[in-house]
């Protein structure tokens, strides 16, 4: 089962459960969802009416925790530590994984120093173990660890839930990308047309050359034939050359002395 299908099944499971619970009973569901090792999307759960109803009540902290995992990072937790409950080890791991995804949204080369600061990691070995074992093996990111340059080169990162107000920015980005793609497509089509035109001209030039070569060959052949026939006519013309045997058979004239 791929990650997307697993996510979809887990989301359906928690959405259905949340719809049947109210008040403080939702706290255990939020803790379970934010601790699950295969769940990294929470916006659908956030949209469940029973969870929205927690806003402004004594149980609103459960809603805050869910929002943290939907949109926040490890740094956000530290900034709001006073009003949020202490996380379990599973929740801590999950929030740090989500933090890596957030960083990878805007930068495809993540310096080790930045990652160690954002994740509260004290050394490179610990950071690389986390990236390999908890991120790449989990399938949420793919990339290359560059020890020489001390950075993580991101090749793929799973997307996080859209933050409030982020949809408009994403639509604008996609519209810009679409316009760029359309312009690129037009440019490619123009180049294809140009290549076709050049190819047709090359074919025409090649045919013209071949036709010219054939004409020259025919001309040379005709000239050679005419010259050959001319030689035949010269050597076969009667009286042109006296036969040697004929000359020998003629009687010799006698010479008379002059008196």
């Amino acid at each position: 089962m791929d990650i997307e299908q697993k996510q979809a099944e887990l989301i359906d499971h928690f959405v259905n459960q949340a719809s049947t619970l109210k008040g403080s009973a939702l706290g255990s569901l939020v803790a379970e969802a934010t601790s699950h090792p295969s769940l990294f999307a929470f916006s659908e759960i956030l949209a469940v009416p029973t969870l929205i109803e927690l806003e402004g009540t004594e149980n609103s902290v459960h809603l805050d925790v869910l929002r943290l995992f939907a949109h926040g990072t490890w740094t956000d937790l530290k900034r709001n530590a006073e009003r949020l409950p202490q996380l379990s080890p599973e929740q801590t791991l999950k929030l740090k994984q989500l933090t890596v995804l957030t960083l990878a949204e805007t930068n495809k080369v993540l310096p080790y120093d930045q990652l160690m600061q954002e994740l509260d990691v004290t050394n490179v070995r610990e950071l690389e173990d986390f990236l390999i074992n908890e991120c790449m093996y989990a399938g949420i990111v793919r990339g290359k660890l560059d020890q020489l340059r001390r950075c993580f080169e991101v090749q793929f990162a799973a997307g996080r839930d859209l933050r409030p107000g982020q949809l408009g920015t994403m639509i604008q980005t996609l519209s810009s990308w679409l316009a760029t793609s359309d312009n690129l497509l037009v440019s490619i089509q123009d180049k294809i047309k140009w290549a076709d035109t050049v190819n047709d001209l090359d074919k025409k030039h090649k045919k013209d050359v071949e036709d010219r070569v054939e004409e020259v060959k025919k001309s040379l052949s005709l000239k050679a034939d005419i010259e050959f026939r001319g030689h035949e006519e010269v050597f076969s013309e009667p009286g042109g050359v006296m036969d040697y045997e004929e000359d020998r058979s003629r009687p010799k004239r006698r010479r008379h002395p002059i008196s």
Side-chain angles (χ1 to χ4, degrees), residues 68 71-84 95 102-103 117-118 120:
L68 173 68
H71 309 127
T73 64
W74 183 251
T75 299
D76 294 326
L77 172 66
K78 292 190 293 182
R79 289 173 183 164
N80 299 281
E82 294 181 357
R83 64 184 188 85
L84 292 172
L95 189 57
T102 295
L103 294 173
Q117 180 180 353
E118 294 288 340
D120 275 343

Side-chain angles (χ1 to χ4, degrees), residues 235-253:
F235 285 103
S236 62
E237 184 178 350
V241 178
M242 182 178 288
D243 185 79
Y244 176 72
E245 293 297 329
E246 180 185 355
D247 181 66
R248 290 183 60 189
S249 62
R250 289 184 179 183
K252 303 294 182 179
R253 290 183 180 180

Side-chain angles (χ1 to χ4, degrees), residues 124-176:
V124 172
R125 176 62 183 273
E126 183 182 354
L127 173 64
E128 290 183 338
D129 287 346
F130 172 77
L131 292 173
I132 294 171
N133 299 326
E134 308 299 347
C135 295
M136 287 193 275
Y137 283 172
I140 59 173
V141 295
R142 290 195 299 270
K144 175 184 175 183
L145 300 175
D146 192 331
Q147 295 179 330
L148 184 63
R149 296 170 56 205
R150 288 175 57 87
C151 66
F152 177 49
E153 298 179 3
V154 181
Q155 298 169 346
F156 160 82
R160 292 196 65 180
D161 295 306
L162 292 177
R163 293 181 289 277
Q166 192 179 17
L167 182 59
T169 303
M170 179 170 287
I171 291 174
Q172 184 178 1
T173 301
L174 290 174
S175 298
S176 176

Side-chain angles (χ1 to χ4, degrees), residues 49-60:
T50 55
L51 275 161
I52 296 175
E53 291 171 0
L54 296 179
E55 187 74 64
T57 70
E58 59 183 357
N59 295 304
S60 62

Side-chain angles (χ1 to χ4, degrees), residues 227-239:
E227 291 179 351
F228 178 74
R229 290 179 181 276
H231 285 297
E232 279 188 331
E233 291 174 358
V234 170
F235 285 103
S236 62
E237 184 178 350

Side-chain angles (χ1 to χ4, degrees), residues 12-31:
D12 287 342
H13 167 73
F14 285 113
V15 166
N16 292 333
Q17 276 200 324
S19 300
T20 63
L21 301 174
K22 286 185 176 293
S24 59
L26 288 165
S28 59
L29 180 137
V30 170

